[in-house]
């Protein structure tokens, strides 16, 4: 059957909403620990920034692993296991005695746990919704903004009351809610998930008498018992054959630049605000504003792009949102007071929520629903290297230049390039389509003219033949006279 577009699907949305709170919101709030870690361990910006980088990198780098467990074991098992790993990592981080300890526990272990939860939960929403997919994703992904809005001031209070160690310990208990989210992820079977067996299997591995029955079989259930090696190889290839699609390749390159540009801001917004004289509570409040406006961007952009007038233009809505975030980063170095940073948080937060909502929607439009889980794993995997590299590079620029200007400018130009790349790709595709249409129409016209000529020639030949026959008859009759 097709996606129900409701029913238990709303529970899936609620589960994904909680997953994004416990993964992405908690990751963003790690930036609030930045100053505490730097002061406690006495390290520079670049070395301290590796903590946030490794969390984000591990989350995205291991996203295909989360998709693999979800596809071949169970989405529920994967998310529950991820919750246990993430909680363990945060609890172990509260006992850290060095930055290297935090790299392993808070970075690798917690990031791995988040990876097992994030992409499978998002893929489940895509399986339950079709007509209202963008709205469902908007609600589900708004957990990141709501979580940031609530957790940012709460984490600041926890640090003041219990120190950074106590705050990490409490967050470890909070992240265990991922196990509850996993229990909500009831699997669903769709028509497009049941593919008929390929012709090469019919020819090489099935007797002639079984070919008719094979056409009714599902690809990856009964056939595995008959030909486990060949069928599993075929299934594994079919899960990732979208990698050769030109549309997906362009999207992948664009995501690399977009991920590079967006990551450092969440790490350095609070330190930057503190460096221009903003108080600790006001700096944390900026993160809260960014988070709550992120929610509005998630839901309103999801709802708007589900409307008929914009549904066909999701592509341009996405690149517009990415480009606007890039422009915000370019203007950030001249905003050096709390009243000026508040509008920045509003604008950047809204468009950040907008394009984050559309990433899975665009991915589904490119590869289809049946391959969405695997494709999202690859998409979030592509975030890994930029997330790993960009905060330390930004920190190195801050240490070298003594200001945040170069870091924020690099982020802004990276996101603008990401948007421009998608724009040029779409324009090139339109030009190519126009050329093909004109070529097709010219070919059809030539065929029409040639066909008419052939008919005319044939008719003329028949008339000439008749004239010859009439002439022959007249000649015969004259000779007989």
């Amino acid at each position: 059957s097709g996606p129900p577009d409701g029913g238990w699907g709303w529970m899936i949305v609620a589960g994904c909403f909680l997953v994004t709170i416990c993964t992405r919101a908690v990751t963003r709030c790690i930036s609030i620990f930045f100053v505490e870690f730097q002061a406690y361990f006495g390290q520079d910006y670049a070395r301290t920034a590796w903590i946030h980088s490794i969390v984000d990198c591990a989350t995205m780098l291991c996203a295909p692993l989360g998709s693999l467990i979800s596809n071949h074991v169970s989405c529920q098992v994967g998310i529950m296991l991820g919750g246990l790993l993430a909680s363990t990592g945060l609890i172990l981080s509260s006992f850290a005695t060095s930055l290297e300890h935090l790299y392993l526990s808070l970075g690798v272990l917690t990031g791995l746990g988040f990876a097992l939860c994030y992409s499978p939960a998002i893929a489940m929403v895509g399986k339950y919704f079709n007509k209202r997919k963008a709205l469902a994703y908007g609600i589900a992904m708004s957990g990141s903004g709501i979580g940031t809005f609530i957790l940012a001031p709460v984490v600041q209070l926890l640090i003041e009351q219990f120190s950074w160690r106590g705050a990490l310990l409490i967050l470890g208990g909070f992240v265990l809610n991922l196990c509850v989210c996993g229990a909500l992820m009831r699997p669903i079977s769709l028509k497009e998930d049941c593919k008929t067996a390929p012709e090469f299997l019919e020819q090489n591995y099935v007797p002639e008498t079984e070919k008719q029955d094979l056409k009714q079989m599902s690809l990856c259930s009964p056939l595995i018992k008959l030909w486990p090696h060949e069928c599993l190889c075929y299934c594994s290839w079919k899960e990732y054959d979208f990698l050769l699609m030109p549309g997906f390749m362009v999207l992948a390159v664009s995501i690399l630049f977009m991920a590079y540009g967006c990551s450092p801001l969440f790490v350095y917004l609070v330190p930057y605000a503190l460096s221009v004289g903003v108080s600790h509570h006001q700096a944390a409040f900026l993160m809260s504003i960014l988070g709550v406006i992120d929610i509005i961007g998630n839901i309103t952009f999801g709802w708007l792009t589900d409307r008929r007038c914009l549904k066909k233009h999701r592509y341009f809505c996405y690149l517009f949102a990415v480009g606007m975030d890039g422009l915000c980063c370019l203007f950030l170095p001249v905003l050096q007071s709390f009243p000026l940073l508040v509008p920045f948080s509003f604008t950047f937060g809204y468009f950040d929520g907008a394009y984050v909502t559309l990433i899975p929607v665009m991915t589904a439009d490119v590869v289809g629903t049946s391959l969405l889980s695997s494709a999202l794993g690859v998409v979030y995997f592509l975030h890994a290297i930029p997330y790993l590299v960009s905060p330390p590079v930004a920190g190195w620029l801050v240490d070298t230049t003594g200001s945040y200007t170069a870091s924020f400018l690099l982020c802004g130009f990276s996101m603008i390039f990401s948007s421009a790349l998608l724009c040029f790709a779409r324009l090139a595709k339109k030009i190519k389509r126009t050329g093909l249409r004109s070529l097709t129409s010219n070919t059809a016209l030539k065929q029409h003219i040639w066909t008419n000529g052939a008919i005319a020639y044939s008719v003329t030949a028949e008339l000439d033949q008749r004239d010859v026959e009439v002439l022959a008859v007249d000649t015969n009759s004259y000779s007989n006279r």
Side-chain angles (χ1 to χ4, degrees):
S1 60
D5 273 296
W8 190 258
W10 294 115
M11 294 302 296
I12 301 296
V13 170
C16 187
F17 175 83
L18 292 173
V19 167
T20 54
I21 289 178
C22 294
T23 55
R24 303 311 299 158
V26 170
T27 301
R28 287 181 178 182
C29 288
I30 290 175
S31 63
I32 298 174
F33 291 90
F34 187 94
V35 177
E36 301 294 327
F37 291 152
Q38 193 178 25
Y40 186 87
F41 296 108
Q43 300 293 338
D44 58 17
Y45 277 86
R47 283 178 58 84
T48 310
W50 277 105
I51 299 170
H52 193 283
S53 296
I54 294 172
V55 175
D56 265 338
C57 178
T59 301
M60 301 308 175
L61 192 68
C62 300
L65 178 61
S67 298
L68 188 68
I69 294 175
S70 173
N71 290 340
H72 296 284
V73 182
S74 168
C75 181
Q76 295 169 319
V77 170
I79 293 176
M80 289 180 178
L81 177 61
L84 290 173
L85 289 175
S87 178
T88 302
L90 285 164
I91 291 170
L92 290 176
S93 299
S94 66
F95 301 100
T97 56
S98 65
L99 280 183
E100 287 73 17
H101 186 162
L102 287 173
Y103 292 163
L104 292 174
S105 57
L106 186 56
V108 176
L109 190 57
T110 302
L112 175 61
F114 288 164
L116 298 184
C117 303
Y118 192 54
S119 56
I122 294 173
M124 284 295 290
V125 175
K127 288 181 177 291
Y128 271 84
F129 288 87
N130 184 25
K131 294 180 181 178
R132 291 179 282 185
K133 184 181 290 184
L135 176 61
Y137 271 125
I139 296 171
M141 305 294 279
S142 67
S144 177
I146 291 175
T148 304
F149 175 70
I150 297 172
L151 288 179
V154 169
V155 167
Q156 185 63 46
L157 289 173
L158 290 175
I159 291 172
E160 292 174 2
Q161 294 293 322
F162 305 105
S163 79
W164 63 267
R165 295 184 185 276
L168 285 174
L169 192 63
I170 294 170
L171 280 179
F174 173 74
V175 164
L176 275 174
N177 285 297
L178 286 168
C179 297
V180 179
C181 302
L184 295 174
M185 299 296 166
R186 183 187 297 172
I188 185 173
S189 179
L190 301 175
K191 281 184 179 179
E192 55 189 280
D193 293 332
C194 302
K195 300 181 177 67
T196 56
E199 293 181 2
F200 79 91
L201 284 179
E202 289 188 34
Q203 295 172 356
N204 296 336
Y205 303 106
V206 186
E208 189 69 27
T209 56
E210 297 180 15
K211 285 185 179 180
Q212 296 300 322
D213 296 335
L214 183 60
K215 293 180 181 179
Q216 308 299 325
M217 286 184 175
S218 169
L219 176 62
C220 294
S221 49
L223 291 180
I224 289 178
K225 298 177 182 179
L226 298 174
W227 317 283
H229 175 71
E230 291 81 1
C231 187
L232 284 175
C233 289
Y234 180 78
C235 290
S236 300
W237 165 245
K238 290 300 290 180
E239 284 178 11
Y240 292 97
D241 60 357
F242 59 84
L243 293 172
L244 300 179
M245 294 180 181
F248 185 81
M249 290 180 182
V250 173
L251 180 64
V253 175
S254 172
I255 281 172
L256 288 173
F257 286 94
M258 181 272 294
Y260 183 92
C262 72
S263 181
L265 185 115
F266 292 101
V267 180
Y268 292 108
L269 179 60
V270 171
Y272 172 71
L274 295 174
S275 72
V276 296
V278 176
S279 68
H280 283 78
H281 285 286
Q282 286 178 329
F285 185 62
L286 287 173
M287 288 294 292
S288 294
I289 292 173
L290 195 150
V292 73
I293 301 302
D294 196 297
I295 306 162
I296 298 172
N298 286 142
I299 297 174
T300 59
F301 227 70
W303 181 82
L304 285 171
T305 52
D306 268 341
R307 303 304 94 197
R308 287 185 179 180
C309 58
L310 289 178
K311 198 165 188 176
K312 295 180 180 179
H313 305 291
R314 286 171 175 169
Y315 190 95
F316 291 102
C317 292
Y318 170 81
L319 64 90
F320 174 75
V322 174
M324 287 300 296
D325 263 2
L327 287 175
C328 289
C329 290
L330 294 183
F331 283 105
L332 184 55
V334 300
L335 308 176
Q336 299 189 357
S337 64
F338 181 71
L340 292 176
L341 287 170
V342 169
F344 167 82
S345 294
F346 271 89
T347 309
F348 186 89
Y350 182 81
F351 288 109
D352 179 74
Y355 77 74
V356 165
T357 295
L358 291 181
I359 287 175
V361 177
M362 286 187 61
T363 306
D365 290 343
V366 172
V367 305
T369 304
S370 61
L371 298 173
L372 181 59
S373 180
S374 300
L376 280 177
V378 174
V379 165
Y380 292 125
F381 171 82
L382 292 171
H383 286 65
I385 295 175
Y387 278 5
L388 178 67
V389 173
S390 58
V393 168
W396 176 79
L397 288 172
V398 173
D399 292 330
T400 305
T401 63
S403 72
Y404 290 85
T405 303
S407 299
F408 292 145
L409 289 179
L410 184 59
C411 293
F413 284 122
S414 179
M415 297 189 80
I416 290 172
F417 178 79
S418 171
S419 178
L421 179 65
L422 287 176
C423 185
F424 288 137
R426 178 52 63 97
L427 290 174
K429 191 174 181 180
K430 280 192 173 183
I431 292 170
K432 185 178 179 182
R433 281 182 179 177
T434 305
L436 286 174
R437 284 175 184 172
S438 62
L439 181 63
T440 305
S441 62
N442 290 337
T443 305
L445 183 61
K446 287 179 181 179
Q447 289 178 347
H448 181 67
I449 293 171
W450 181 85
T451 303
N452 288 342
I455 292 171
Y457 176 80
S458 178
V459 171
T460 305
E462 289 179 6
L463 291 173
D464 292 343
Q465 183 65 29
R466 286 178 185 177
D467 291 339
V468 170
E469 290 176 357
V470 170
L471 182 61
V473 170
D474 292 341
T475 305
N476 290 335
S477 60
Y478 178 79
S479 60
N480 289 335
R481 288 175 186 173

